[in-house]
Amino acid sequence: MNFIYVLGRGHSGTTMLDLVLGHAFKFRSCGELISGLSRYPEQRCTCGLKMQECGAWRSSIQSIGESEQERTDLFCYLASKASIFQIHKAFFFAKDKQYEAALLKESRFIEALKGDCDGVIDSSKELTRGVALALGPSKASWLHIYRNPEQIAASYRFRAKKGKIKIYRRLYSVPNGLLFLLDLFVATSWSIWTILTILTGAIAPKKYVCVSYEQFLKDPVGHAYSIGEKFGVSVDKETIRERVSSSLTVGHIVGGNRMSQERTFSLKASESTQRSVSISTTLICFFICSPVKLLARCMYKRAFSRT
C-alpha cells in the first residue's frame, strides 16, 4: 500500500501539500487524520456530515470490526500516543503489545480508506505518529514540508491579533505588547522541531523527503513528479499538470485546516498568503533559525537537485 505521511509545523502548508498530491497521484487525502479521529464520532467531515454519518468514512471505520465505543477508545488511544512526549515509545512500539495491536488495527483501517484510490495521504504533522507509522505495519513514507519561519510567525501574529491562537491544541490570548514572546516561541519551536524531524528522517533516508513550501509553489508539477519518483508512484508530468492546474476539490478530509467553507482549493490562492513581517520578527527568526534553515535547505536540495 502506498501511504504518505506529511510532517511540518503548523501553518507550513501541510494541508495544501496533502490536497495537491492527492489529486496529482489519485491518492485519498485524509487531512489531519489523528486529530479528526481523536474527536470521533462528533468530528465533522468537510462534506458537513459527522464522520460516523459520512459514507466516505463510515465503511472504513466499520472495517475495524469493533463496537462504536471500542472504535472511539482505539482512536483516543492512538491520539494519546501521538504526543511528542511519547517519541521514545514510538521507536520501541513492538515492546508495547497494546500499542502494536492498535497500530495493526489502524493499518487495516488505512487500507480500507484507500478504496479505489492508489494510496493514502495523512497530514497529521505529529512526529511521534510519523515514526510509529513508518516503523509499524503501515510502512508510511515521510514527506517533510518546511516554510520560512518568518511567515509562520507572521501567521501566528495575524491570528493572535484577531483573537486567540491554538498552540498544541490549546487556545491562548497574547497581548500586543507581548507578541515578541510569541515570535520567540515560534522561532525556537520551529528550530527544535525541524532538527528533530530531519535527524529522525535520516534513519530511513529512502523513505524521507524534505520539501520547501516556497519552492513547491513555484513549480508544483515538477516537485510532485519528483516526489512520485522517490515514493514509487508512477505518474507523468502532463497528467499531474492536468490534475492540479485548476481549482481542486477538497473532498472528505478532517482535522486541522479543513477548508470546509469553499470546498475548493487553488494553488494560486496559496501564492498570495505571504504576510508582512515585522522587523522584530525578522531579527528573532534570523538569530534563532538561520542555522536550521541552512540545514533544511541542504536536505531539500539533496532531494530535489534535478527539479
Side-chain angles (χ1 to χ4, degrees):
M1 176 184 67
N2 284 314
F3 182 24
I4 297 176
Y5 185 78
V6 181
L7 300 105
R9 292 292 295 143
H11 309 268
S12 290
T14 54
T15 305
M16 177 274 295
L17 196 61
D18 185 342
L19 292 171
V20 172
L21 295 184
H23 282 76
F25 299 160
K26 287 193 67 177
F27 274 32
R28 168 71 190 274
S29 293
C30 295
E32 294 185 18
L33 186 56
I34 198 64
S35 175
L37 293 178
S38 68
R39 293 188 287 270
Y40 178 84
E42 298 303 314
Q43 171 70 59
R44 290 190 179 275
C45 171
T46 44
C47 69
L49 297 174
K50 293 181 180 180
M51 289 181 72
Q52 63 176 344
E53 301 169 348
C54 173
W57 292 99
R58 186 174 59 247
S59 58
S60 303
I61 291 171
Q62 289 175 345
S63 70
I64 298 174
E66 308 289 347
S67 68
E68 197 70 44
Q69 185 59 52
E70 286 173 317
R71 292 180 198 130
T72 303
D73 292 342
L74 171 65
F75 296 148
C76 289
Y77 174 75
L78 288 169
S80 71
K81 294 294 185 180
S83 167
I84 188 62
F85 302 109
Q86 300 281 335
I87 187 68
H88 61 291
K89 293 184 178 180
F91 282 103
F92 302 101
F93 76 91
K95 295 183 179 180
D96 186 333
K97 297 303 180 183
Q98 183 182 2
Y99 194 20
E100 186 179 21
L103 288 171
L104 184 60
K105 287 181 179 179
E106 185 184 26
S107 70
R108 295 200 298 267
F109 166 62
I110 292 171
E111 179 65 37
L113 267 179
K114 185 177 71 170
D116 57 359
C117 295
D118 295 331
V120 175
I121 303 178
D122 175 6
S123 54
S124 288
K125 298 196 287 282
E126 301 285 358
L127 179 58
T128 304
R129 174 172 167 78
V131 171
L133 291 175
L135 297 179
S138 296
K139 304 299 180 184
S141 297
W142 278 19
L143 188 54
H144 172 202
I145 183 170
Y146 73 94
R147 186 179 187 180
N148 284 336
E150 295 93 334
Q151 282 297 316
I152 295 177
S155 182
Y156 272 101
R157 272 184 170 243
F158 175 77
R159 298 195 181 200
K161 289 178 179 179
K162 291 184 65 176
K164 293 185 176 182
I165 58 172
K166 182 181 288 187
I167 300 177
Y168 294 118
R169 302 185 182 182
R170 292 186 179 182
L171 293 174
Y172 296 90
S173 297
V174 182
N176 287 340
L178 298 178
L179 285 175
F180 73 96
L181 293 177
L182 180 61
D183 292 339
L184 283 170
F185 168 79
V186 171
T188 303
S189 63
W190 182 91
S191 298
I192 294 173
W193 198 96
T194 302
I195 289 174
L196 279 175
T197 305
I198 291 174
L199 292 178
T200 306
I203 296 173
K206 291 184 179 179
K207 301 189 69 175
Y208 169 79
V209 172
C210 183
V211 58
S212 162
Y213 170 87
E214 288 78 11
Q215 294 302 319
F216 185 89
L217 284 183
K218 290 180 180 178
D219 181 17
V221 174
H223 283 79
Y225 177 75
S226 295
I227 291 168
E229 275 192 322
K230 295 176 188 302
F231 290 155
V233 182
S234 180
V235 186
D236 62 84
K237 284 189 178 181
E238 286 306 313
T239 300
I240 293 174
R241 185 174 286 107
E242 290 175 3
R243 292 175 178 175
V244 303
S245 61
S246 58
S247 294
L248 311 178
T249 303
V250 171
H252 297 272
I253 65 174
V254 293
N257 181 3
R258 301 188 303 116
M259 302 182 184
S260 56
Q261 294 181 343
E262 298 296 332
R263 293 284 292 143
T264 58
F265 171 79
S266 171
L267 278 170
K268 291 184 179 179
S270 291
E271 295 174 358
S272 63
T273 58
Q274 298 291 316
R275 302 188 187 281
S276 59
V277 182
S278 67
I279 295 176
S280 63
T281 300
T282 300
L283 291 174
I284 288 172
C285 289
F286 174 79
F287 285 110
I288 295 177
C289 303
S290 289
V292 184
K293 284 176 67 175
L294 181 61
L295 175 62
R297 192 175 298 118
C298 289
M299 297 302 293
Y300 162 73
K301 288 183 177 180
R302 179 181 176 183
F304 295 94
S305 58
R306 292 186 296 116
T307 301

